[in-house]
Amino acid sequence: MYEMPDGRFQVRAKGVALPCSIFDPHRQRVTHAAITENKHLSAVLAHIKEEQEKAAPPPKVKLVSAKNGNKKKGRRPPGRPSKMEAHYERRRAERSAKEVTQA
């Protein structure tokens, strides 16, 4: 095995690079195409596919807060108003005062 400068690995035999791919057992599934491609192995691959379909789905991952028993309680209060909110409130009050004096 040869390690490239960028961190990848390359499999070589007598100086010739061989094609390879990384096997991930958690993502590897037998497909219908693989069964039809390998006619000699079709019975074995069909059995493997059935076993994979029988397997329970992966467990749902809970957030750390949910594991600790934290439950959502709805929206949080808005907190302290921003300086712009105070500015807009003053403008609204001025407009309503003008409307009252004009009427």
Side-chain angles (χ1 to χ4, degrees):
M1 191 171 314
Y2 173 72
E3 185 174 354
M4 311 273 282
D6 61 355
R8 293 181 293 147
F9 289 97
Q10 189 177 48
V11 179
R12 290 183 174 197
K14 297 181 183 179
V16 177
L18 301 174
C20 66
S21 63
I22 296 175
F23 176 75
D24 183 7
H26 300 292
R27 293 184 171 245
Q28 195 69 17
R29 306 292 287 174
V30 174
T31 62
H32 181 69
I35 293 171
T36 55
E37 276 182 28
N38 301 307
K39 296 196 189 268
H40 298 332
L41 299 175
S42 63
V44 175
L45 292 175
H47 174 71
I48 292 171
K49 185 176 180 186
E50 288 173 9
E51 292 298 317
Q52 286 176 346
E53 289 174 354
K54 283 184 200 174
K60 297 194 179 201
V61 178
K62 287 187 174 180
L63 298 174
V64 174
S65 60
K67 287 180 185 176
N68 294 335
N70 190 14
K71 293 181 180 146
K72 288 189 174 186
K73 297 176 186 154
R75 291 190 56 172
R76 295 176 67 188
R80 182 176 172 189
S82 68
K83 292 180 180 179
M84 290 305 295
E85 284 298 321
H87 171 75
Y88 293 139
E89 188 61 37
R90 278 195 311 270
R91 300 266 314 259
R92 283 188 210 109
E94 289 172 3
R95 279 193 208 127
S96 64
K98 280 185 183 178
E99 289 174 2
V100 170
T101 57
Q102 289 176 358

